[in-house]
Amino acid sequence: MEDPVRASLDHCVKCTICETACPVAQVTPLFPGPKYEGPQAERFRQPGASADHSVDYCSGCGICSQVCPHGVKIAEINSRARAAYKAEVGAPLRDRVLARPGVTGPMGSPVAPVVNRVMANGPARWVLERAVGLHHSAPVPPYAPRSFQRWARSHRRGAGVHPDGRSVVYFHGCSTNWFEPDLGRMVVAVLERNGVQVRVPDQGCCGLPLQSNGLFEPARRTLRHLAHDLAAGGGDEPVVASSSSCGLMLKREGREILGLADEDLRAMGERTYDICEFLLDLHDQGALDTDFRRLPLRVLYHAPCQQRGHAMGTPALDLLRLVPGMEVVESAGGCCGIAGTYGLKKEKYGIAMAVGEPLFEQVRTGNPDVVACDGETCRWQITAASDHSSVHPVALLFWAYGLEL
Amino acid sequence: MQTIETEVLVIGGGATGVGVARDAALRGFATVLVERKDLAEGTTGRYHGLLHSGGRYAVKDPQAARECAAENGVLRRIAADCIEDTGGLFVTTPWDDVEFGDRFLAGCAATGVGVEEIEVGAALVREPALNPDIRRAFLVADASMDAWKLAWACARSAVEHGARVLTYHRVTEVLRNGDAVAGVVTVDVRTGVTLTVRAQVTVNATGAWAGQLAALAGCRPVDVVPGKGIMIAMNHRIVNTVLNRCTMPSDGDIIVPIRTVSVVGTTDSPVTDPDQLEVTQAEVDHMLDEGEKLVPGFRKARALRVWAGARPLFGAKEPGDEKTRDITRAHTLLDHRQRDGLDGFVTITGGKATTFRLMAEETMDLVARMASPGTDRPCRTATLPLPDSEPGAYYAVGSRLAQRERHLLDDQLVCECELVSRRDLTEALDRRPTANIDDIRRALRLGMGPCQGGFCTYRATGILHHQERLDQATANRALLDFLQERWKGLAPILYGDQLRQARLDDWLYQGLLDVEHLPAAAGAP
């Protein structure tokens, strides 16, 4: 039986809808577009003989697959082509380091003050750009002094949470652990506020940065390891993720892009929820505490590309609209450009900034009090490019509940 | 009326004809080739593209197997640029006799066909889409061969050595000089201009049409039965190795990965007229069902196009009274002086693309004895590589993509499916001025991909018109003719994805451009 992702190229009728929706192809001729890279170029590919390099300019946002009216797995085909290309020509050191936050995190966190000062230092960043190709202006967040997991290990279950009640496994992801532990604490607090018991098993990376950098073999190992960790000591309780892109790895991309056919991974994917999706489900069941205080904020909500890949609507938007006094506007779509590690790279930084410009312009002119966005790298990109603060939607719910860290 | 004189006249621009012309030119003969249409537009351009290892005939037709095995090695040396070294597998599916594999091995050993039985697991690793229930697998030196490229390379080589190649020259009369054939009268079907070609020896290399030409020459009937075979190109390479059923040759038992597609073939039924080859729904269904046995899910893949070719099979008595598949696939060379008392005329027919060079060699050995008795002009085609071919430098499916990647920023894509750029188009037209987009298709594969010309035909026509190569009415005619030609191969396979494509193309051409009401020149003859 032929691989279904590759076989999906047969559905392409060249309607070109994907090309008109691709944010990268619109700003650079270096990327000839998703139709070219996907159903077209794929007909010229065979194992072990990559003939194309332009596919490396695909940011992996996945919009092409979302808009294809015929079901061509364009982004998936392109990701695999990039992986095949990288497997043949090799990935640069920079990509191999950026792709492993689960390795760099434990190294950087203990020496956070030093690393953070270096990364915030202009001349040092220029040296880094010259040496390894990390763009000097790329948004790199500072390490937190204390990881989320360290906090979670000593965390006592919150008041009001019944031990026999609803329970979830929290998949916090690398960014929460090393850069934004406060977000993790807010997620736990919001869930506990709603009577949900939160288990936080020790866990590593989901493998997404490896995958998006074309390093499929380590990505597969990493994702399998994560699934194993999240399943440890538990039954089949829901897995809740606060990173929309990492959650998508568990839900779908591990199978569809990495080609993992593991039954336990499939089962875990089916019980994985984005945090906002989970909370909105609670609300639909009448189980969400909507006793929010008035929070008179003008919020611009931006759904990341990967969030749209969940095909779950915009639960964050629905939740934020429950908060009295909050004025929420949805961004006019578009990609912020960062696409995980893509926009950090010297040769792609300019492309990423050009891709995100319409969004940044909307932020600047709309001048909201805060930008809400489900993806961490998107938030860092938006803040760096528009000089407006950005938060995860759950942070706004946390404040609306009147909770404190 | 213009007349040209030559030593050797070759009639027919298929693989055999261009092979004879090249062989003749390399031996130093003044040579002219005439072809009624474009090169390789007949049987050569309508086969599945297999370079035989000989395995297919190892049990049934040892002579054909021997010839294929030898010529496979020769063509790999002289025509590597036209060949993709895919390798081939003969597999025993659940519908095939396991014991046949032993006869197959014995047949290969007896005929010099290289073969190695491999583990079923190894075959499945090599070709993951292959039916996992196969019971035996044999690796052979099958490959895929681009017949157009091959024919053009032979013609170019012939021209480089002094030959003239005249396409679109149809023979209207065979000239006689008593008991000898003295040449032919042709008409240029594009201009209506007649041309007489006088020759010492005339070679009838018209394949399935050999009987028709022999009748024009007025000799005893040459009994060539055109054997119709249909082939379906699937939208992409489902496999990268040629797949054969390990059984007696039968319908639909081979899948050839060639260029960007996988071709399943073929059928074999006698017909009376090689210009009238209809494809029936039942034949299409049969091919897809058989393809499913080699590759489960084959039926779900997208069929791109179907076509039929006419094999030149010599020796059957009358169409209908025996199955053409049982006629030998080896070729036949007729010396009409011995056969009919008609001097200066030989017919070469039968055979197959894989053995075209050998056929040409044997033909020219005979012709050389007739045209210049007593002199030694040995054949050089077995060792001299074709233009652009280097031994071992096989064609790779990714080569066009690699080339396209080098010109992303400085050249426009015209045919997106087959990655034909504006520069490719312009250069092809500079080499060979034509008002016929189908000629361009054979040279560049323009319009041969999934959309079957849906997006490139109007672009190519527009470019031709913009460059003032075609006036408006001729450009419109060229567009309509090409669309009509594409449609012929689509109608019998309109289901699923290709039906969806045809609807979109129809909206473009009928709905948006209203092509049927364009002011077009009169139809080409």
Side-chain angles (χ1 to χ4, degrees), chain B residues 84-399:
Chain B
E84 187 183 343
D85 187 20
T86 60
L89 283 169
F90 279 77
V91 295
T92 307
T93 73
W95 295 268
D96 306 323
D97 177 14
V98 176
E99 305 294 320
F100 187 87
D102 299 329
R103 293 174 62 196
F104 176 74
L105 284 173
C108 288
T111 53
V113 174
V115 62
E116 179 195 355
E117 179 158 13
I118 62 172
E119 296 289 328
V120 164
L124 290 170
V125 167
R126 182 182 174 119
E127 288 302 338
L130 184 59
N131 188 338
D133 294 331
I134 60 166
R135 286 171 290 179
R136 298 180 78 171
F138 307 88
L139 197 58
V140 296
D142 284 345
S144 58
M145 182 164 75
D146 186 327
W148 287 317
K149 211 169 167 183
L150 182 78
W152 278 104
C154 283
R156 208 155 76 242
S157 171
V159 169
E160 282 170 8
H161 290 85
R164 288 186 71 177
V165 174
L166 304 171
T167 55
Y168 292 104
H169 280 64
R170 187 163 57 84
V171 172
T172 54
E173 185 188 345
V174 175
L175 298 173
R176 290 280 293 264
N177 182 5
D179 284 340
V181 167
V184 297
V185 178
T186 66
V187 59
D188 184 331
V189 296
R190 297 164 303 187
T191 61
V193 174
T194 55
L195 172 72
T196 299
V197 185
R198 294 196 170 274
Q200 288 179 39
V201 181
T202 299
V203 178
N204 173 12
T206 55
W209 290 262
Q212 293 181 14
L213 191 85
L216 267 185
C219 61
R220 276 198 297 137
V222 169
D223 187 19
V224 174
V225 181
K228 183 186 81 171
I230 80 153
M231 278 135 289
I232 304 173
M234 309 305 277
N235 183 45
H236 67 276
R237 307 238 314 203
I238 299 168
V239 293
N240 288 303
T241 306
V242 175
L243 297 185
N244 304 266
R245 296 265 291 276
C246 190
T247 179
M248 282 300 218
S250 179
D251 288 354
D253 59 357
I254 182 166
I255 298 174
V256 181
I258 178 161
R259 311 266 327 203
T260 49
V261 299
S262 314
V263 176
V264 63
T266 172
T267 56
D268 201 343
S269 47
V271 294
T272 49
D273 183 353
D275 285 315
Q276 300 295 326
L277 303 174
E278 290 198 2
V279 176
T280 67
Q281 189 63 52
E283 288 171 320
V284 169
D285 274 334
H286 185 43
M287 283 303 100
L288 297 176
D289 285 341
E290 293 303 305
E292 188 78 25
K293 290 175 181 171
L294 281 165
V295 174
F298 192 81
R299 253 191 173 284
K300 291 203 191 78
R302 173 174 177 175
L304 205 61
R305 184 173 180 82
V306 61
W307 69 92
R311 296 180 191 81
L313 299 174
F314 184 78
K317 294 292 168 276
E318 289 298 333
D321 68 3
E322 69 179 281
K323 286 198 69 174
T324 52
R325 196 173 293 285
D326 295 327
I327 302 173
T328 177
R329 296 306 163 84
H331 51 272
T332 303
L333 176 63
L334 302 177
D335 178 351
H336 291 281
R337 179 172 49 184
Q338 288 183 359
R339 183 178 184 266
D340 308 307
L342 186 60
D343 212 357
F345 190 51
V346 300
T347 292
I348 174 72
T349 188
K352 58 189 70 56
T354 299
T355 56
F356 87 99
R357 192 213 60 83
L358 176 67
M359 294 163 69
E361 177 177 346
E362 290 180 10
T363 304
M364 280 311 301
D365 284 348
L366 172 64
V367 171
R369 285 197 298 275
M370 294 163 69
S372 60
T375 61
D376 185 26
R377 298 194 188 187
C379 174
R380 294 169 60 201
T381 59
T383 50
L384 188 68
L386 288 165
D388 295 339
S389 274
E390 286 172 45
Y394 294 112
Y395 171 82
V397 67
S399 60

Side-chain angles (χ1 to χ4, degrees), chain B residues 62-75:
Chain B
Q63 187 194 344
R66 236 175 253 117
E67 289 175 1
C68 285
E71 285 301 301
N72 181 297
V74 172
L75 293 186

Side-chain angles (χ1 to χ4, degrees), chain A residues 23-24 27-28 59 139 335-339 341-345 347-358 360 381 385:
Chain A
V24 178
V27 300
T28 176
S59 78
C335 173
C336 73
I338 192 78
T341 60
Y342 182 89
L344 305 180
K345 300 170 183 176
E347 73 281 10
K348 289 161 184 147
Y349 174 81
I351 296 172
M353 292 301 283
V355 165
E357 184 51 33
F360 309 147
Q381 168 87 338

Side-chain angles (χ1 to χ4, degrees), chain A residues 2 10 12 35 43 54, chain B residues 235-237 302 405 416:
Chain A
E2 202 192 3
D10 275 357
C12 177
K35 179 180 67 167
R43 295 177 70 241
S54 62
Chain B
N235 183 45
H236 67 276
R237 307 238 314 203
R302 173 174 177 175
E405 290 275 305
E416 298 170 18

